[in-house]
Amino acid sequence: MEPYEALWNRALWYLGRRDYGVKELRLKLLRPRPDKPLPSEEDVDKAIERLLELDLLNDERYAQRVSEALSRKGYGARGIAYELRRRGVEEEIELPISDEERIGELLRTKYAAKLGDEKGRQSVFNALTRKGFIFSDIRTAMREYMEEEPDGDF
């Protein structure tokens, strides 16, 4: 089997297992493998061009899927944008729900039990910050949530 054919088959195998962005797949294909010759950059570029032409590789579609998955996990717009940049995708994605709505939803569902005392509220605030939400949005959503609750005082 020629080096390009082996590279092409490996690229298809990777894409059969999960989605990749162009940059991420390129790095994966250029990674040295034991007992295998290092592929040439020209072969990798040729394979990626062909995958793009066949629409088997699409950064916009990849970014949308990653964004939706991270949004379901509770990440905010900044956290999603950071993760996409880390994966080498510069696509702008519009999320179906605003950060303020998402924070409110998380406070009512996932974090409601922890909001009873100051230590718990601080823990929730820190968790939401790590997920990429902006401080002011978190504070506003937490204040609104605590006003809705009869025992709330934040």
Side-chain angles (χ1 to χ4, degrees):
M1 185 180 289
E2 288 184 38
Y4 175 76
E5 289 176 24
L7 181 69
W8 174 253
N9 288 335
R10 189 159 37 114
L12 291 176
W13 185 81
Y14 285 141
L15 289 171
R17 297 181 56 88
R18 76 170 182 87
D19 277 339
Y20 284 87
V22 172
K23 183 178 177 183
E24 194 176 26
L25 183 62
R26 187 174 198 292
L27 290 173
K28 187 109 172 147
L29 292 172
L30 286 170
R31 184 179 302 155
R33 295 178 42 186
D35 301 329
K36 302 283 182 190
L38 193 63
S40 72
E41 289 197 28
E42 295 82 28
D43 284 346
V44 171
D45 291 339
K46 184 177 160 185
I48 287 180
E49 272 305 310
R50 186 163 176 218
L51 290 167
L52 289 168
E53 287 171 9
L54 296 172
D55 200 33
L56 296 173
L57 189 61
N58 182 317
D59 269 355
E60 187 176 337
R61 184 177 58 228
Y62 175 65
Q64 189 64 43
R65 288 181 180 163
V66 169
S67 300
E68 289 169 0
L70 292 174
S71 181
R72 280 192 304 276
K73 288 182 175 183
Y75 281 74
R78 271 187 15 196
I80 292 170
Y82 170 79
E83 183 61 25
L84 288 173
R85 279 191 310 276
R86 190 185 71 75
R87 294 179 185 208
V89 179
E90 298 295 328
E91 298 290 325
E92 290 291 322
I93 297 300
E94 198 167 310
L95 299 175
I97 185 171
S98 71
D99 276 358
E100 295 83 11
E101 294 170 321
R102 185 70 180 131
I103 294 169
E105 183 181 295
L106 288 168
L107 291 176
R108 286 187 297 281
T109 57
K110 185 174 182 177
Y111 297 120
K114 295 182 178 183
L115 295 172
D117 64 348
E118 184 60 35
K119 185 176 179 181
R121 286 190 292 271
Q122 188 61 48
S123 172
V124 169
F125 187 89
N126 292 339
L128 291 170
T129 302
R130 285 189 301 273
K131 288 190 177 282
F133 293 105
I134 298 170
F135 293 139
S136 60
D137 291 346
I138 298 170
R139 287 222 183 270
T140 302
M142 288 180 81
R143 193 170 288 116
E144 288 173 6
Y145 176 83
M146 298 309 285
E147 287 172 0
E148 291 173 8
E149 290 298 307
D151 300 335
D153 146 57
F154 181 64

